[in-house]
Amino acid sequence: MHWKRFVASVLYALNGIRLAVCHERNMRIHLAATVAVIVVAAMFRISKMEWLVLLLTIGAVMSLEIVNSAIERTVDLVTDEYRPLAKEAKDLAAGAVLVFAFISVIIGVSIFLPYLYVFFKNSLHFHK
């Protein structure tokens, strides 16, 4: 019986991810960025620790975007009319995503910059 409830909860969670990807433009942007980052990371053969940092960062951004979408839907469920507190709740949730997305860019730059430096240094050296 416990396994059925566990499987059901996993299916509900997967449906939530599907909803976010299908209905949230920003989630699709994050997903496209994730694919690009993973491709570049694989090309540069980054270290295990760098992979772990990237995966944690990707997971945090995606999770925050899903939570942001849940908060927006909950606020929309509670009221159809404009309310300053409803707007603030949505803005705060979106702000949380933006803060971590900005931090994730800094993390990505700090990981990839040395690889890019070596790549371009070797490319320029090769053509001399």
Side-chain angles (χ1 to χ4, degrees):
M1 189 67 168
H2 294 292
W3 282 106
K4 287 182 182 180
R5 286 194 310 226
F6 174 74
V7 169
S9 67
V10 169
L11 292 175
Y12 295 142
L14 289 172
N15 186 53
I17 295 168
R18 183 192 63 78
L19 288 170
V21 171
C22 291
H23 298 287
E24 298 297 327
R25 177 181 48 91
N26 288 343
M27 186 64 162
R28 289 190 298 276
I29 291 169
H30 294 307
L31 194 56
T34 294
V35 169
V37 164
I38 288 172
V39 167
V40 172
M43 282 178 23
F44 285 139
R45 295 184 176 151
I46 66 173
S47 73
K48 181 190 264 188
M49 189 57 68
E50 290 166 331
W51 270 112
L52 293 173
V53 170
L54 277 183
L55 292 174
L56 281 170
T57 303
I58 289 166
V61 170
M62 298 285 208
S63 297
L64 279 170
E65 187 61 49
I66 292 169
V67 170
N68 176 48
S69 298
I71 289 170
E72 288 178 351
R73 281 174 170 69
T74 302
V75 168
D76 290 344
L77 181 67
V78 171
T79 181
D80 288 340
E81 60 192 57
Y82 175 81
R83 294 191 181 189
L85 285 177
K87 180 186 180 324
E88 286 180 17
K90 288 181 170 187
D91 290 351
L92 288 165
V97 178
L98 183 63
V99 166
F100 203 84
F102 181 72
I103 295 300
S104 71
V105 168
I106 293 170
I107 290 168
V109 167
S110 69
I111 289 173
F112 290 119
L113 202 57
Y115 292 96
L116 289 169
Y117 174 76
V118 169
F119 175 78
F120 285 115
K121 182 180 173 189
N122 290 341
S123 295
L124 293 174
H125 182 334
F126 178 72
H127 293 297
K128 285 187 179 180

